[in-house]
């Protein structure tokens, strides 16, 4: 929660500028987790930047932390444009992007970092409704 909060505080002015409402819903009872703080911050920042790019006008990003079995879970849910079904499987491939200015490395890097931490990432999306990114980090 603390590391996620630091990233969200850093991104708050940018979210405000884009008229994106940020909703925090944190499980205050999550135990501390050992991880490379800078690398996990990079993951969180990549995900939040993606949500900002997905919301063309005013919208909402909800960040939820919870415990799921032996993992801490972070769900980032946006009200953006969504991702086409045919692109969902390719999202984690290096250099795959649907953005004119994208490098296609953000999600590939996020997946690699999470896997290095015995974690995972999953994305669900519906066109014109939004996207849910779920991150799992092993507790302990």
């Amino acid at each position: 929660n603390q590391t996620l909060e630091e990233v969200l505080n850093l991104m708050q002015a940018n979210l405000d500028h884009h008229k994106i409402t940020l909703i925090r819903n944190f499980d205050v009872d999550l135990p501390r987790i050992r991880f490379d703080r800078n690398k996990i911050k990079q993951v969180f920042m990549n995900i939040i930047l993606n949500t900002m790019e997905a919301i063309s006008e005013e919208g909402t990003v909800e960040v939820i932390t919870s415990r799921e079995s032996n993992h801490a879970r972070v769900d980032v849910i946006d009200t953006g444009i969504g991702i086409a079904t045919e692109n969902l499987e390719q999202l984690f491939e290096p250099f795959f992007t649907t953005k004119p200015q994208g490098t296609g490395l953000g999600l590939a890097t996020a997946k690699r970092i999470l896997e290095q931490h015995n974690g995972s990432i999953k994305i669900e999306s519906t066109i014109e409704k939004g996207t849910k990114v779920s991150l799992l980090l092993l507790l302990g």
Side-chain angles (χ1 to χ4, degrees), residues 111-123:
K111 182 179 184 208
R112 181 181 46 79
I113 290 170
L114 288 165
E115 287 174 348
Q116 289 171 348
H117 288 81
N118 298 311
S120 63
I121 182 170
K122 180 176 139 187
I123 298 180

Side-chain angles (χ1 to χ4, degrees), residues 19-133:
K19 297 182 177 147
I20 298 171
T21 302
L22 177 64
I23 300 168
R24 294 169 173 87
N25 190 354
F26 291 175
D27 180 345
V28 295
D29 293 326
L30 278 181
R32 294 181 69 84
I33 305 171
R34 289 182 175 260
F35 52 73
D36 182 320
R37 194 174 177 81
N38 289 328
K39 286 186 177 182
I40 295 301
K41 278 185 172 183
Q42 181 182 356
V43 170
F44 292 154
M45 194 161 294
N46 279 339
I47 302 304
I48 299 300
L49 284 170
N50 282 348
T51 64
M52 288 174 31
E53 292 172 359
I55 299 173
S56 56
E57 295 181 20
E58 294 179 27
T60 303
V61 173
E62 183 175 10
V63 181
I64 304 165
T65 63
S66 60
R67 184 176 189 149
E68 183 176 294
S69 179
N70 59 342
H71 288 86
R73 179 179 178 125
V74 178
D75 290 315
V76 180
I77 304 164
D78 70 53
T79 58
I81 58 173
I83 302 165
T85 305
E86 63 268 17
N87 292 333
L88 283 173
E89 288 187 26
Q90 297 175 288
L91 289 178
F92 302 110
E93 292 178 17
F95 307 110
F96 175 79
T97 184
T98 58
K99 303 177 211 166
Q101 304 297 321
T103 62
L105 292 174
L107 288 174
T109 301
K111 182 179 184 208
R112 181 181 46 79
I113 290 170
L114 288 165
E115 287 174 348
Q116 289 171 348
H117 288 81
N118 298 311
S120 63
I121 182 170
K122 180 176 139 187
I123 298 180
E124 301 168 49
S125 190
T126 305
I127 294 292
E128 302 303 325
K129 298 267 187 207
T131 301
K132 177 181 178 181
V133 179

